[in-house]
Amino acid sequence: QVQLVESGGGSVQAGESLRLSCAASRYSTSRFCMGWFRLVPGKGREEVATIDSYGRTSYVDSVNGRFTVSKDNAKNTLYLKMNSLTPEDTAMYYCAAAKQKRGAIGAGDRYDYWGQGNQVTVSS
């Protein structure tokens, strides 16, 4: 079955950077939309960034200009580069994979596969 394996989380100081990776198996990153979500206890799940099969990206306003979503289709891997991190970015981050080509923040897209989650903690 499809597997998404995440790596790259950790603890950093405010202003620093991290890159999350999400390696997919039995799934083609070039064919479908993928996204990054984060979960903060008490605040629910937030869709952070998406990249569709055409390489078009979208971001939630709070990370726009600081985070960059990308994918390496040759490696079947999704990335999220996070710059200028703030304590408000502290969350469990999940990658997700869809079965449709298109997708964007706020579109209510359905994601069928999920990574195991990666904790990102930013201290001030």
Side-chain angles (χ1 to χ4, degrees):
Q1 67 273 20
V2 173
Q3 280 193 316
L4 303 177
V5 179
E6 299 181 40
S7 60
S11 298
V12 296
Q13 297 287 320
E16 295 184 340
S17 300
L18 279 175
R19 189 180 77 160
L20 302 180
S21 300
C22 174
S25 59
R26 298 186 180 184
Y27 179 89
S28 175
T29 59
S30 66
R31 293 181 60 194
F32 303 107
C33 179
M34 300 187 76
W36 289 97
F37 292 75
R38 61 188 180 187
L39 182 64
V40 177
K43 291 188 177 181
R45 188 178 71 185
E46 180 179 49
E47 191 176 20
V48 175
T50 67
I51 183 166
D52 68 13
S53 64
Y54 306 100
R56 296 175 300 198
T57 60
S58 65
Y59 302 91
V60 68
D61 287 346
S62 60
V63 309
N64 201 10
R66 299 187 298 120
F67 289 13
T68 302
V69 60
S70 62
K71 55 183 177 175
D72 184 334
N73 292 328
K75 295 182 178 180
N76 235 24
T77 300
L78 176 73
Y79 301 100
L80 183 68
K81 181 66 186 299
M82 305 181 291
N83 296 327
S84 302
L85 284 161
T86 74
E88 289 68 39
D89 296 315
T90 295
M92 184 71 81
Y93 284 73
Y94 296 88
C95 64
K99 292 181 179 178
Q100 73 272 358
K101 288 182 176 294
R102 301 176 185 273
I105 292 289
D109 299 308
R110 170 176 167 167
Y111 289 87
D112 294 278
Y113 309 106
W114 294 83
Q116 81 277 13
N118 225 334
Q119 180 66 37
V120 171
T121 302
V122 185
S123 55
S124 58

